[in-house]
Amino acid sequence: MNRRNFLSLTGTFTGGSLLLPDFLFSFSKQQNLIIGEQCVVFIQLNGGNDGLNTFIPYLDPLYYEMRPKIALSKDEVIAGNKEMAFHPSLKGFAQMQQNGDLSVIQNVGYPEPNRSHFRSQEIWQTASNADQYINEGWLGRYLDLQCATHTPTAGINIDNIDNLSLKGEVPNAITIKDPEKFKIKNGKEENNQLSDNSELDFVRKIANSAVEGSEQIQKALAQASPENAYPKSGLGKNLAWIGRLIKGNLNSKVYYTSLNGFDTHDNQLTLHKNKLTELNDALFSFYSDMKNAKLLQNVTIVVFSEFGRRVHDNGNGTDHGTAAPMFIIGGSNKGNVIGNNPNLSDLQQGDLKHQVDFRSVYATLLKDKLNFDPTKIGIKTPLVTDLF
């Protein structure tokens, strides 16, 4: 078994107890990754969230003209700001903005946009060009350089599947469905001497660090009791886990989770309302948890989707589009609405033109929050001004 194949097998731990053979242990335990106090929490909205019905240009007559079946009325939207307003399900978003803790970045996308879910997610997760294919994720590449030695809990993905964003040459991130059940045990401490086989020693090192990762996660959970204020939804439970790990001082630099269900081709008004309600309630609980723990200044939350929806409705929903807003919460952001409002009179093949490259947002997060030079992982787009 070569090293890369082994990493593909060991990079994911989805919960439950795993017993590793005795011979896999030889290297001493490593220190947890601690670089400052900042961490970034990503919430990926899978399916292509309709940005125009999330942060709404409610004073633009073209919005109502182009969306006669699904437009939100001026009486429904909330928290008007610079001729934009939130979907009525996003009361928590409105409160976070009023508190000065939420920035909106308008019209985020990339050149030559791809309307395939799979490919556009891949572009966002690798920070590639539209015609470029990269095997490692942008966060995985960052962690490869940031972790001087293999550090299994540098990134935490709360999900039942891996996320390409965190894939690197070395698995410095762990995918876990239920952190409380993530318990890896080794048997008797036997045969722990280094061998003459470098590949075997590498296997031992990775296996030992997996145990270390399990131990660090259990230690963090033990130091922070569960919060009852989170909703019982899937996203609510995932963010409750992340909040508990942060308060338990796990000191991971990156946390990741996702919410499915935003592919609203039909019955959009009901489906979108339900998904935004789940997002709002879970995220506002997490925000309140971090604020009450006096950690919000150290935790930056990023909400994004692989693309927006088309400007014109299709009768009862919307089809795949391009640019959409991103939301940045916490991390001592400036609470601004960044960029121009969506220009519904100047479209490209029926879609919004992007004004901010998503990689510029990544570059800003890396530089300002993680103290890392984004050019080292191939991100050379300019920074977003007035975000932090």
Side-chain angles (χ1 to χ4, degrees):
M1 179 180 290
N2 64 37
R3 182 169 297 191
R4 178 169 289 279
N5 286 342
F6 177 78
L7 294 183
S8 70
L9 293 175
T10 60
T12 303
F13 303 96
T14 57
S17 296
L18 175 63
L19 182 66
L20 295 178
D22 297 340
F23 75 90
L24 291 178
F25 301 90
S26 65
F27 284 74
S28 61
K29 294 180 179 179
Q30 301 178 44
Q31 292 295 317
N32 203 23
L33 179 67
I34 303 175
I35 306 170
E37 297 179 336
Q38 299 291 320
C39 69
V40 184
V41 178
F42 293 90
I43 303 175
Q44 180 176 313
L45 308 180
N46 292 327
N49 178 47
D50 185 5
L52 284 175
N53 270 24
T54 301
F55 195 53
I56 302 163
Y58 71 106
L59 293 181
D60 190 337
L62 287 176
Y63 168 72
Y64 299 98
E65 179 182 325
M66 294 176 171
R67 295 186 159 208
K69 300 294 185 181
I70 65 163
L72 279 297
S73 73
K74 298 175 183 177
D75 295 331
E76 293 177 280
V77 301
I78 58 174
N81 183 11
K82 296 185 178 179
E83 301 188 355
M84 302 292 296
F86 286 106
H87 188 285
S89 295
L90 297 177
K91 293 180 176 62
F93 276 59
Q95 183 63 56
M96 291 185 291
Q97 185 182 62
Q98 183 176 347
N99 294 345
D101 293 325
L102 183 149
S103 286
V104 183
I105 308 174
Q106 297 272 47
N107 308 304
V108 182
Y110 55 91
E112 301 179 22
N114 192 300
R115 293 171 181 81
S116 160
H117 292 297
F118 177 81
R119 178 56 186 151
S120 194
Q121 286 179 5
E122 184 177 57
I123 290 168
W124 277 77
Q125 291 170 355
T126 61
S128 70
N129 296 325
D131 60 352
Q132 180 185 20
Y133 292 83
I134 301 176
N135 291 326
E136 284 76 35
W138 73 281
L139 290 169
R141 301 197 303 274
Y142 153 69
L143 293 176
D144 279 342
L145 294 177
Q146 193 63 52
C147 301
T149 58
H150 172 60
T151 310
T153 58
I156 302 291
N157 179 38
I158 307 292
D159 209 333
N160 56 7
I161 58 172
D162 273 340
N163 191 295
L164 176 59
S165 294
L166 291 161
K167 180 186 176 186
E169 288 286 343
V170 176
N172 291 303
I174 296 177
T175 295
I176 319 167
K177 182 177 181 180
D178 184 341
E180 202 159 50
K181 294 180 181 178
F182 176 50
K183 300 175 182 178
I184 299 179
K185 305 173 183 178
N186 60 306
K188 298 178 180 178
E189 296 286 342
E190 297 177 353
N191 194 20
N192 288 336
Q193 297 300 314
L194 292 178
S195 72
D196 295 328
N197 185 328
S198 61
E199 296 297 328
L200 175 58
D201 289 338
F202 181 79
V203 167
R204 288 173 170 170
K205 181 177 181 180
I206 298 298
N208 187 69
S209 61
V211 173
E212 171 73 3
S214 172
E215 292 174 348
Q216 292 295 333
I217 287 172
Q218 297 309 312
K219 181 180 178 180
L221 292 178
Q223 294 184 47
S225 58
E227 289 286 343
N228 297 321
Y230 285 84
K232 302 302 182 184
S233 64
L235 183 62
K237 292 177 182 177
N238 289 354
L239 290 178
W241 285 124
I242 292 174
R244 195 171 164 190
L245 292 172
I246 292 173
K247 291 185 296 180
N249 197 31
L250 183 63
N251 288 317
S252 298
K253 303 309 297 177
V254 177
Y255 296 88
Y256 216 107
T257 191
S258 61
L259 178 62
N260 296 326
F262 287 89
D263 198 14
T264 51
H265 291 280
D266 193 26
N267 194 26
Q268 173 165 322
L269 286 176
T270 299
L271 293 177
H272 200 223
K273 175 184 177 182
N274 292 341
K275 297 315 296 185
L276 290 182
T277 297
E278 181 177 356
L279 171 65
N280 176 85
D281 294 356
L283 181 49
F284 191 72
S285 295
F286 178 71
Y287 161 86
S288 300
D289 190 9
M290 295 297 98
K291 193 166 187 176
N292 291 337
K294 304 188 185 306
L295 291 171
L296 186 63
Q297 70 274 14
N298 297 334
V299 179
T300 304
I301 308 158
V302 181
V303 182
F304 73 99
S305 191
E306 72 265 28
F307 46 63
R309 315 296 291 187
R310 306 218 81 183
V311 175
H312 285 270
D313 68 39
N314 64 15
N316 201 27
T318 49
D319 298 322
H320 300 177
T322 54
M326 287 182 72
F327 303 99
I328 309 296
I329 301 152
S332 297
N333 77 83
K334 293 184 178 180
N336 293 324
V337 177
I338 298 172
N340 299 323
N341 293 346
N343 188 344
L344 304 186
S345 64
D346 183 21
L347 304 178
Q348 186 173 24
Q349 297 180 341
D351 290 320
L352 295 173
K353 295 180 179 178
H354 88 277
Q355 291 186 332
V356 178
D357 194 305
F358 73 93
R359 289 161 293 196
S360 289
V361 183
Y362 289 176
T364 308
L365 293 168
L366 288 169
K367 181 178 183 296
D368 291 348
K369 297 289 98 181
L370 298 174
N371 193 29
F372 182 83
D373 179 359
T375 64
K376 291 182 177 179
I377 59 169
I379 297 179
K380 301 179 181 179
T381 48
L383 302 182
V384 177
T385 57
D386 294 326
L387 181 55
F388 298 109

